[in-house]
């Protein structure tokens, strides 16, 4: 009896110990209860699974394992939600495959599965979650909204070309205008991206309009396109990816979460960002990719917009070991959102609103958050004083959900100049992250590579930037158009390899590394916007001259870098200087190796700067 009692006691102690140390369970019945490979509607099973997770007792860690296979998700039986998503079109309601809301300590392991979505859907939404991990699966859509024209013949004399559409079918021609048919929606393409046959974007062809005089069908899936401006520039075997500018749904949506991990997840297509995170803390992407399905994939494109995008996040963002290719925008973009001041209520209270049509409707700040004010025309701090939110409430909606305008009361009195009579923005300093972007491959994408806009430490290292169509790295800031914060204070760019970036120009693409805050009145600016930037131990392989452009920057070091020239493309960029600086100070260029024979002392252009602003040694 004593032995039995002792054994029972030991078992109880072991059980308590396992509970206290966060033992992970794989509870029977918690899986996607649908047979893979059958095209049966997995949305029904996803709704059931999420319901089980939301009703389970306790928050002990749990792993949901899904047998490897193909699963098809359809919108009619999916979750229906009203979401407001930063940098996306705010149309509602949205269909959602997995609406993971209010969960804690949950891992979903797809074990190599393919999740195929139909229609317009958000595959995964994670809201107000804690310790959520998604791993080991891919996301794709049966029929993307983007389509591809594979050029077969070019007849310059007749100003026409023949092209095969891919994926085949699912189109019609109305009055000689091409209409793309999705599953439950239609798209009239207005723009395109031009690709070479090797899946690199075509040299000097950015944002090609799609406005032919006529489109007719020669045979099923073969189109005659007449009177298109691209006819004279096009060669057989090129591809044009037809697109709109519409961004309804990201592949993965993360909002107001803590400790989110995406591990070995691949997004092959989304009609918005591959992943969009907002107002969340601590996000790790490890092996997360927005990519094609390999070298033999007939598609040349992935997402309609950025691969990854972080809006008003905090804590630490880690993005490592990823592959980002074929996107219609940047690989990573990290920023906050300025509110524009619309009314001074009293000495402690302001009204302010979201300004960009794709960024509104979600929480902007909370009581206790630190803020600062910026004068928009000169992009200078106003009042030079960090304040604190005492209270914040929406004034055009009952809550911040779906709101555009807020009334904010601050702990300290406001500077006298802050009012609606000028152009002032408010920046939330609490909702700003540290960033580690490492060991990633960014290649063959439109626009830019990596965008960082945060005052906290950024480390961008050991990445390969391979034929980004525009600037490889951009440090920005804009309280006039995009309303995306903010000033960088410590950025380390090291041990990266840049191969033939900037084969076309886009917004803010003045060099391979472009430090370009949008400042309408730069001449009257008194303060600097960016500071603390180190570019070291990188390799630049380039066909053209612009290496670094910097505006309104105090403190930049360019050292121990190697620069080589090649002849893959003809130089074309308007910026003829490896180093072009506007209104800068404390710039140091030292110990670099220029294998093309450039003399950096003779290759620097400075404007609006003192004579000793740049040191070369």
């Amino acid at each position: 009896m004593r032995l039995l009692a002792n054994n029972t006691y030991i078992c109880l102690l072991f059980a308590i110990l396992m509970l206290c140390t966060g033992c992970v369970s794989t509870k029977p019945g918690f899986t996607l209860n649908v047979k893979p490979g059958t095209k049966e509607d997995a949305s029904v099973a996803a709704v059931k699974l999420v319901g089980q997770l939301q009703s389970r007792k306790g928050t002990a860690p749990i792993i949901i394992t899904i047998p490897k296979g193909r699963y098809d998700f359809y919108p009619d039986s999916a979750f229906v939600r009203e979401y407001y998503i930063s940098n996306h079109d705010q149309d509602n309601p949205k269909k959602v495959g997995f609406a993971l809301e209010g969960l804690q300590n949950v891992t979903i392991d797809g074990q190599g599965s393919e999740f195929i979505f139909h229609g317009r859907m958000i595959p995964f939404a994670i809201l107000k979650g804690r310790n959520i991990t998604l791993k080991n699966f891919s996301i794709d859509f049966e029929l993307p909204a983007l389509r591809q024209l594979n050029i077969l013949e070019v007849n310059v004399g007749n100003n026409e070309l023949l092209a095969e559409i891919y994926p085949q079918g699912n189109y019609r021609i109305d009055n000689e205008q091409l209409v793309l048919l999705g599953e439950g929606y239609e798209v009239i393409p207005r723009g395109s991206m031009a690709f070479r046959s090797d899946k690199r974007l075509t040299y000097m062809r950015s944002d090609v309009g799609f406005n032919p005089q006529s489109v007719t069908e020669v045979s099923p899936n073969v189109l005659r396109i007449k009177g298109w401006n691209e006819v004279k520039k096009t060669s057989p075997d090129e591809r044009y990816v037809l697109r709109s500018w519409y961004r309804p749904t990201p592949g993965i949506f993360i909002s107001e979460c803590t400790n989110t991990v995406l591990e070995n997840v691949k997004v092959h297509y989304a009609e918005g960002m591959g992943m969009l995170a907002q107002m969340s803390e601590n996000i790790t992407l490890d092996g997360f990719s927005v990519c094609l399905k390999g070298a033999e994939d007939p598609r040349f494109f992935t997402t309609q917009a950025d691969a990854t995008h972080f809006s008003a996040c905090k804590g630490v963002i880690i993005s490592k070991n990823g592959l980002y290719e074929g996107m219609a925008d940047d690989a990573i973009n990290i920023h906050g959102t300025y509110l524009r001041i619309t009314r001074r209520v009293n000495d402690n209270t302001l009204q302010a609103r979201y300004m960009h049509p794709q960024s509104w409707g979600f929480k902007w700040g909370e009581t206790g958050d630190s803020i600062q004010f910026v004068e928009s025309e000169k992009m200078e701090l106003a009042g030079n004083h960090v304040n604190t939110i005492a209270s914040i409430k929406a004034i055009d909606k009952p809550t911040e959900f779906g709101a555009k305008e807020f009334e904010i009361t601050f702990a300290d009195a406001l500077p006298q100049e802050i009012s609606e009579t000028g152009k002032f923005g408010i920046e939330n300093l609490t909702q700003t992250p540290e960033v580690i972007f490492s060991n990633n491959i960014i290649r063959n994408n439109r626009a830019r590579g990596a965008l960082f806009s945060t005052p906290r430490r950024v480390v961008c290292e050991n990445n390969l930037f391979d034929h980004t169509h525009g600037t490889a790295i951009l440090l920005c800031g804009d309280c006039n158009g995009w309303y995306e914060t903010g000033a960088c204070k410590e950025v380390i760019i090291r041990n990266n390899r840049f191969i033939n970036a900037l084969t076309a120009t886009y917004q803010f693409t003045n060099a391979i590394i472009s430090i370009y805050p949008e400042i309408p009145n730069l001449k009257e600016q008194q303060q600097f916007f960016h500071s603390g930037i180190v570019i070291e131990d990188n390799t630049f392989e380039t066909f053209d001259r612009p290496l670094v452009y910097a505006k309104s920057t105090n403190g930049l070091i360019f050292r121990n870098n190697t620069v080589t020239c090649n002849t893959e493309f003809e130089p074309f960029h308007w910026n003829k200087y490896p180093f072009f600086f506007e209104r800068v100070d404390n710039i140091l260029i030292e110990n670099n190796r220029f294998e093309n024979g450039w003399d950096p002392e003779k290759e620097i252009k400075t404007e609006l700067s003192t004579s000793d602003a740049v040191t070369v040694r």
Side-chain angles (χ1 to χ4, degrees), residues 354-375:
Y354 283 116
M355 297 299 293
H356 195 274
Q358 288 180 322
S359 290
W360 55 273
F362 49 91
K363 182 186 291 186
W364 183 82
E366 299 178 315
T367 299
D369 284 357
S370 297
I371 64 90
Q372 64 185 10
F373 302 101
V374 64
E375 195 280 325

Side-chain angles (χ1 to χ4, degrees), residues 228-371:
W228 187 23
N229 294 337
E230 289 300 296
V231 171
K232 294 180 180 179
K233 305 174 186 177
T234 299
S235 60
D237 293 330
E238 279 192 297
R239 308 291 193 275
Y240 284 87
V241 174
L242 302 181
R243 61 185 297 237
S244 68
W245 300 95
Y246 188 47
R247 301 177 178 182
T249 50
I252 298 174
F253 173 45
I254 301 168
S255 184
E256 297 184 60
C257 292
T258 303
N259 302 334
T260 307
V261 177
L262 305 181
E263 179 182 336
N264 191 28
V265 172
K266 295 179 174 62
V267 177
H268 297 307
Y269 170 76
E271 202 181 357
M273 313 291 184
M275 187 283 308
L276 185 287
Q278 64 190 31
M279 294 295 291
S280 295
E281 181 175 5
N282 298 337
I283 299 172
T284 297
L285 310 184
D286 188 354
F288 177 84
S289 296
V290 172
C291 61
L292 305 173
K293 295 181 180 180
E296 302 305 316
D297 191 343
R299 285 192 206 166
F300 282 45
F301 61 87
T302 54
T303 54
Q304 174 81 289
D306 297 350
T308 66
H309 200 108
F310 301 84
S311 177
C313 292
K314 64 181 180 179
V316 180
I317 292 172
I318 300 173
S319 176
K320 60 184 181 180
N321 306 319
L323 169 60
Y324 303 107
E325 61 181 349
M327 307 86 66
D329 226 319
D330 317 315
I332 184 170
N333 190 344
I334 298 175
H335 64 85
T337 303
Y338 288 112
L339 298 182
R340 169 62 64 86
I341 294 170
T342 56
R343 183 186 171 205
R344 182 181 177 115
V345 178
N346 56 47
D347 285 347
N348 286 78
T349 303
L350 296 170
Q351 291 179 356
R353 66 178 287 119
Y354 283 116
M355 297 299 293
H356 195 274
Q358 288 180 322
S359 290
W360 55 273
F362 49 91
K363 182 186 291 186
W364 183 82
E366 299 178 315
T367 299
D369 284 357
S370 297
I371 64 90

